[in-house]
């Protein structure tokens, strides 16, 4: 790969130091210009930089170079990590299946790649095989393995997988020692629809951080546990936990699922005024959606009036999708959004254009409705036909 000459040890140390300090591009550049033949340690030092940069081409080149020599477990693991992080799951699986020996890092890299590369079911299957083939504690799944597979369980809704990982994490002491495992388990239970077990896992996590509180609050919200979400808020306040935007979004989502418009507006108001947390686009959108679902479009104007101008584009669709429901006929509540849209200051997708046009037409504002349709045609914006996907 390179001509001989120079001190390979010095080059390897330099590349390794650059890669470990997060200067991946410099590490790769140093490798490309080194004046010595790289050894196995050099290659193992530059491969993490390739993974960080998602440089699949260089990773493949190094792999080809390794094939002409005798590879070892460290090199194979580093190559596997590159393939997994670059999304080359086929190459990763071929390398993994052909490895003469594997350790926990090999299994974890493969599981991580499958879980985040669109094959979460394969990640769960791989983990089960790992449990069967792990002969000693050194090969047993560690915290990184569990977090990767829990991500896959959440993506697939595999409650059985989450339930099987829970006792394993407790037995290995990972749930009480590694907070990231506990947070991943809470999230997996939440995504699998088991709010009770999500709360149980939360209680087992020591030294809870904001991710823990936010995840369990979101778990209550998405599973229709409105009262439990508010009880968690009360616990956080009693313990002096500093609230953040993620927790408030989870609480607003709980209000949305429960149709509690007044509570959502109180939370939105308290965010900035009491807790010093500036509401973002997603908070305003969730509050609007809550009022719409609760049949309270009369509160839309209150939300839109206090909203920063830069959020107009994102919330317009939510506003229009609920306008007219619950007997509301007053168009003044959305006057600011509508005028900015007609003036061209706010843009949106085809669905929102269609909603705005219908909204204006229903209000008898035919010229404005036609103007919206004309602009939609001029900009070649089309509304995609609605469809529903089901798995059979």
């Amino acid at each position: 790969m390179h001509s001989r000459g120079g001190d390979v040890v010095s080059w390897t140390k330099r590349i390794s130091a650059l890669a470990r300090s997060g200067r991946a591009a410099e590490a790769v550049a140093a490798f490309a210009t080194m004046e010595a033949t790289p050894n196995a340690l050099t290659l193992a030092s530059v491969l993490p930089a390739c993974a960080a940069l998602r440089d699949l081409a260089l990773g493949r080149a190094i792999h080809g170079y390794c094939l002409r020599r005798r590879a070892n477990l460290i090199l194979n693991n580093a190559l596997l990590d590159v393939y997994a992080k670059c999304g080359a799951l086929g190459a990763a699986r071929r390398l993994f299946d052909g490895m003469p020996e594997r350790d926990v890092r090999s299994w974890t890299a493969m599981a991580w790649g499958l879980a985040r590369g669109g094959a979460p079911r394969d990640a769960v299957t791989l983990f089960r095989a790992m449990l069967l083939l792990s002969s000693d504690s050194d090969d047993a799944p560690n915290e990184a393995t569990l977090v990767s597979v829990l991500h896959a369980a959440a993506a697939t809704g595999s409650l059985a997988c989450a339930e099987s990982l829970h006792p394993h994490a407790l037995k290995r002491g990972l749930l009480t020692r590694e907070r990231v495992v506990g947070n991943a388990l809470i999230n997996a239970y939440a995504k699998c629809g088991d709010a009770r077990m999500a709360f149980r896992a939360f209680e087992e996590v020591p030294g809870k951080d904001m991710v823990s509180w936010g995840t369990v609050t979101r778990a209550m919200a998405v599973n229709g546990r409105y009262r439990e979400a508010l009880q968690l808020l009360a616990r956080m306040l009693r313990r002096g936990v500093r609230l953040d935007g993620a927790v408030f979004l989870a609480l607003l989502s709980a209000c949305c699922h429960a149709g509690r418009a007044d509570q959502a507006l109180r939370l939105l108001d308290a965010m900035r005024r009491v807790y010093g947390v500036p509401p973002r686009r997603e908070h305003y959108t969730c509050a609007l959606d809550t009022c719409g679902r609760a049949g309270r479009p009369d509160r839309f104007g209150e939300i839109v009036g206090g909203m920063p101008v830069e959020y107009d584009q994102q919330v317009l669709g939510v506003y229009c999708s609920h306008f007219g429901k619950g007997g509301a006929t007053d168009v003044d509540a959305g006057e600011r959004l509508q005028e900015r849209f007609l003036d061209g200051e706010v843009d949106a997708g085809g669905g929102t254009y269609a909603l705005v046009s219908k909204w204006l037409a229903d209000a008898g504002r035919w010229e404005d409705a036609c103007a919206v349709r004309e602009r939609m045609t001029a900009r070649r914006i089309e509304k995609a036909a609605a469809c529903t996907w089901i798995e059979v």
Side-chain angles (χ1 to χ4, degrees):
M1 185 171 277
H2 297 279
S3 60
R4 292 189 175 276
D7 185 356
V8 66
V9 175
S10 300
W11 281 102
T12 300
K13 287 182 178 179
R14 180 185 173 192
I15 292 168
S16 178
L18 289 170
R20 283 187 282 105
S21 62
R23 297 157 69 182
E26 294 178 52
V28 170
F31 176 75
T33 58
M34 67 180 290
E35 299 175 350
T37 301
N39 57 24
L41 186 56
T42 315
L43 300 176
S45 298
V46 76
L47 282 169
C50 297
L53 296 172
R54 305 298 191 264
D55 192 339
L56 181 59
L58 182 55
R60 288 188 188 278
I62 294 175
H63 191 184
Y65 184 76
C66 293
L67 290 175
R68 299 195 297 271
R69 288 156 178 77
R70 186 175 180 180
N72 55 42
L73 179 60
I74 294 174
L75 263 179
N76 280 334
N77 282 342
L79 284 166
L80 189 60
D81 193 45
V82 173
Y83 284 136
K85 289 183 177 176
C86 291
L89 296 185
R93 193 61 198 246
R94 287 191 294 273
L95 174 61
F96 179 81
D97 290 341
M99 289 172 64
E101 57 177 324
R102 306 182 188 114
D103 60 7
V104 64
R105 185 181 171 188
S106 316
W107 290 94
T108 301
M110 192 68 245
W112 186 96
L114 292 169
R116 288 162 175 77
R121 295 184 188 279
D122 291 339
V124 173
T125 301
L126 185 85
F127 178 76
R128 288 172 177 157
M130 181 184 183
L131 291 179
L132 292 174
L133 297 174
S134 298
S135 56
D136 54 53
S137 59
D138 292 334
D139 293 332
N142 59 19
E143 63 275 10
T145 319
L146 261 67
V147 169
S148 294
V149 181
L150 283 168
H151 177 87
T156 58
S158 177
L159 180 60
C161 180
E163 290 173 337
S164 66
L165 289 171
H166 195 162
H168 180 83
L170 284 171
K171 182 180 178 180
R172 299 274 297 173
L174 296 174
L175 192 57
T176 55
R177 189 173 70 246
E178 301 291 343
R179 194 162 48 204
V180 65
V181 175
N183 292 341
L185 186 60
I186 298 167
N187 181 60
Y189 277 131
K191 296 288 179 63
C192 293
D194 195 331
R196 182 183 63 84
M197 288 303 297
F199 186 78
R200 176 178 167 182
F202 168 77
E203 294 286 42
E204 293 170 347
V205 176
K208 302 170 180 60
D209 59 6
M210 279 310 304
V211 176
S212 311
W213 287 101
T215 304
V216 74
T217 304
R218 187 167 61 252
M220 299 301 112
V222 299
N223 287 285
R225 303 292 187 94
Y226 166 76
R227 294 186 181 281
E228 287 88 340
L230 290 186
Q231 288 169 0
L232 284 167
L233 172 62
R235 282 182 62 180
M236 283 185 271
L237 294 177
R238 285 197 303 270
R239 298 190 181 192
V241 177
R242 185 176 178 83
L243 306 182
D244 64 4
V247 168
F248 276 107
L249 184 59
L251 291 167
L252 286 169
S253 179
C255 294
C256 187
H257 283 277
R260 303 298 182 103
D262 292 336
Q263 181 64 46
L265 291 175
R266 283 193 290 269
L267 286 169
L268 189 66
D269 176 64
M271 282 183 67
R272 187 191 300 275
R273 188 172 55 82
V274 179
Y275 301 103
V277 180
R280 297 185 60 80
R281 171 189 56 80
E282 54 268 26
H283 299 103
Y284 289 109
T285 303
C286 192
L288 277 172
D289 199 29
T290 303
C291 291
R293 290 172 182 267
R296 296 293 306 277
D298 56 298
R299 306 301 297 271
F300 284 179
E302 181 180 339
I303 301 171
V304 173
M307 188 175 58
V309 171
E310 60 267 24
Y311 294 157
D312 286 357
Q313 174 180 342
Q314 289 82 1
V315 302
L316 183 64
V318 176
Y319 180 93
C320 293
S321 67
H322 289 298
F323 187 82
K325 295 180 181 178
T329 57
D330 182 11
V331 298
D332 291 337
E335 193 68 25
R336 183 167 75 91
L337 278 175
Q338 175 261 320
E339 291 298 337
R340 292 181 64 80
F341 184 81
L342 290 177
D343 291 342
E345 297 179 45
V346 178
D347 207 349
T352 303
Y353 271 88
L355 283 169
V356 172
S357 178
K358 181 180 183 302
W359 166 34
L360 293 169
D362 291 344
R365 300 173 63 172
W366 298 104
E367 290 185 5
D368 288 337
C370 290
V372 170
R373 287 289 183 178
E374 288 172 2
R375 185 189 309 151
M376 186 175 175
T377 302
R379 296 186 180 185
R380 297 182 180 180
I381 296 174
E382 296 182 358
K383 180 185 180 298
C387 64
T388 301
W389 290 92
I390 60 171
E391 184 176 339
V392 295

